[in-house]
Amino acid sequence: MAAPVGLLYDERMCAHATPNGESHPENPDRLRSIWRKLQQEGITDRCVVMEAKEAEDKYIASVHSQTHINLIKTISSAELDSRRHKIACKFNSIYFNKGSSESAYLAAGSAIEVTEKVAKGELSCAIALVRPPGHHAEHNEAMGFCLFNNVAIAANYLLNEKPELGIRKILIVDWDVHHGNGTQKTFYDDSRVLFFSVHRFDSGSFYPSGGDGAYCMIGEGPGQGYNINVPWEHGRCGDADYLAVWDHVLIPVAESFNPDIILVSAGFDAAAGDPLGGCSITPRGYAFLLEKLKRFAQGKLVLLLEGGYNLSSIANSVLACAHVLLGDEGYSRKLNTKPFESTWRVIQLVRDELKYYWPVLSGKIPEEELKNPRSISDLQLYWSSDSESDVEEAVGPGGTIPSGAEDVSSCLSELNIANVASTSATSSNEVSEASVPWRSLLSKAEVWYASYGSNMWLPRFLCYIKGGKVEGMNIPCCGCCDTSTPKDIIWRKVPHRLFFGGMCDPCWGDGGVAYLHPQRDEKERVHVCIYKITLEQFNDILLQENSLVDEVNALGKISSPLIDLSGLDLLSEKKSLILEPLKSSWYPNVVFLGMEDGIPILTMTCKMSDIDRYKCGKLVLAPPANEYANTIIKGLVGGKQLTEDEAMDYINAASSRKL
């Protein structure tokens, strides 16, 4: 007779809540909504229901420092009542109350309890409904709603404390929409643990920000090749995108690795309707992902709850997973939707990065799989005139859920991109002006586009105008709807600071990309090449620079511009605008640099809030890739601004200085 399925729930973990009842996405109702759904569907009667046990400090110490353990142990004590809030404010997206200590210890202990029972064979598999979540928590730091790293503590317990159970290799699958930075760092040099994370990355700007979630972060020392990151370039990824990653990265590697047990950091914030994730996995999608994992490790699977902030979608998604673990049929099926083009690009980058460690990933993705990818659709339009505005925090960790938000797309107004026909065919020049009237209007308005990076080299800039790529670029540009060349080109020096940030760029490879500090600084001077183009072209370049266009046709289908004539007026007054659709991309901030011949000079760069993240290390400063640097040098030399040696020194100086 097969061992039963375990299900752990303990109301005591609901004691962790905001101190004064403030609204917060990570709240006790998350657990309660799941539990109610499982009860209503009869799942609780079919499982072995377990209560939580507190973890012992010695097991938590395998992941966290004694200082951190002492903090979490005492944070709920009466002695810290008056200081608790002040302490929480020192961390990134953390709150504490009188129930936090017990809940954190119960969550970690629950992870240990269920994994041990599954490893022993007392349970065939299990779901642990735990909170607070854990995968962001690092050795000496709570962050991102996470106090102790539950999955890492459980994995270390099996490997180091229970060798008699025969668990030698553990696969950790993190499908939470946010990168599991804490788990990655715990096992970065450990070949006993294969850590796999698929997450929104958005060029390193999506929480937890920085370069840790990049595809080039593959482990070090003995663990090299045992850390796999699949970083989405944007939101809206759904069932087809995740299944493509399973089929072309995770499943082949799992077959080679042959784990003894699988632990899933089961965040459900990539679910459709989640207010923080912006992705669109359905309950059936989660069921299919889990079904594919069941064939490994003799079915020894443990799901440990992480994120997920829409009460309906998290409950339905966990229910679908429970049906899979119970062996119910009809809860997973083949899906007919297609992945995004960018999904295939990311998958190929991951495969190329890891093929030397996992030969099964060698080779290209079959052409048949690449046919008729989806196009990006339903972009949202929003201007923020404050360059330091943290509008993004309202829908990110630590922010509040918009009232009544059942679908993240309902929270923002729309900049529609119509669906592109899968059979293709229409050139962007064939789009009628009647279907996109803004193009006709903005084609008559001129702006100066000021480039301070690779676009200073004219052949590189023309890729954004006419399409294609130059030497060193991994990905071609689709070009603008209006392919007219710039009417004039001039060079200037502007009083801003140049710097380089990020770990890798799909276009150029490993290394940082150029940014202009949004604020003026009269002590600084940056070379800029300024192109006179139309405002229509500037909109198309904005979309391409921020990787929001998958096909040429998509540009021609945009029914509203990112920035129009009223936006130009606002820019001249406010000096910068944060564009909401771009807020998680490379260059969401359009900056007004002045006027030239009565025409505004515009550039694009990061947000001021990103500058603060670079300063404190949450985003990474890094020198550019050689190909990227060489393109900048070609621009400076070809524009007769610097000699080649001077240009190299210019880039090195910008790369080596701290902000």
Side-chain angles (χ1 to χ4, degrees), residues 359-561:
V360 70
L361 300 181
S362 297
K364 299 295 182 182
I365 299 167
E367 287 295 326
E368 184 65 27
E369 295 274 24
L370 304 179
K371 290 182 179 178
N372 305 326
R374 282 191 295 163
S375 298
I376 294 293
S377 61
D378 299 327
L379 296 179
Q380 284 77 35
L381 176 63
Y382 183 86
W383 294 341
S384 169
S385 60
D386 181 1
S387 64
E388 296 192 63
S389 170
D390 274 336
V391 173
E392 69 276 12
E393 298 299 342
V395 289
T400 58
I401 301 176
S403 176
E406 286 298 313
D407 188 327
V408 70
S409 64
S410 69
C411 304
L412 304 169
S413 55
E414 294 185 357
L415 170 79
N416 292 317
I417 297 182
N419 291 330
V420 178
S422 55
T423 57
S424 190
T426 311
S427 161
S428 58
N429 291 326
E430 295 174 357
V431 178
S432 69
E433 291 184 356
S435 65
V436 280
W438 67 269
R439 288 192 172 276
S440 176
L441 179 64
L442 300 193
S443 68
K444 299 176 176 63
E446 293 181 334
V447 297
W448 292 98
Y449 164 52
S451 172
Y452 49 86
S454 63
N455 286 336
M456 291 189 293
W457 188 39
L458 180 59
R460 162 67 177 116
F461 175 68
L462 290 178
C463 294
Y464 279 131
I465 299 293
K466 297 178 178 296
K469 62 180 183 177
V470 294
E471 183 180 358
M473 293 171 60
N474 297 318
I475 303 168
C477 301
C478 68
C480 295
C481 287
D482 176 2
T483 59
S484 303
T485 55
K487 297 178 182 177
D488 198 2
I489 303 173
I490 58 176
W491 285 82
R492 292 285 184 271
K493 291 182 182 178
V494 297
H496 288 261
R497 162 74 195 277
L498 177 70
F499 68 95
F500 293 88
M503 292 292 291
C504 53
D505 171 8
C507 183
W508 298 101
D510 297 351
V513 296
Y515 289 102
L516 203 68
H517 195 298
Q519 290 184 338
R520 289 173 61 93
D521 184 345
E522 296 300 333
K523 298 177 183 177
E524 301 283 350
R525 288 294 182 273
V526 173
H527 293 277
V528 291
C529 184
I530 306 179
Y531 300 97
K532 185 188 285 187
I533 58 176
T534 69
L535 186 53
E536 178 197 7
Q537 289 176 313
F538 184 72
N539 272 276
D540 286 350
I541 292 167
L542 267 171
L543 286 163
Q544 293 179 78
E545 274 280 25
N546 287 282
S547 301
L548 289 181
V549 181
D550 277 337
E551 301 182 21
V552 175
N553 282 346
L555 278 175
K557 303 283 185 171
I558 299 170
S559 60
S560 304

Side-chain angles (χ1 to χ4, degrees), residues 115 151 154-155 158 170-174 261-265 302 304:
T115 54
V151 70
L158 292 184
I170 297 177
L171 169 60
I172 296 178
V173 176
D174 190 329
I261 193 171
I262 300 175
L263 307 183
V264 181
S265 268
V302 178
L304 298 168

Side-chain angles (χ1 to χ4, degrees), residues 56 58-59 62 111-120 122 153-170 192 260-261 300:
E56 297 180 42
K58 63 180 179 180
Y59 302 139
S62 69
I112 291 173
E113 181 78 2
V114 293
T115 54
E116 182 175 12
K117 287 187 178 296
V118 171
K120 285 179 176 179
E122 295 177 12
I153 291 167
N156 267 335
Y157 177 81
L158 292 184
L159 292 170
N160 302 324
E161 302 295 333
K162 293 292 178 178
E164 66 273 16
L165 298 180
I167 302 297
R168 303 286 183 264
K169 294 183 290 182
I170 297 177
R192 300 175 299 170
D260 299 313
I261 193 171
K300 291 182 177 179

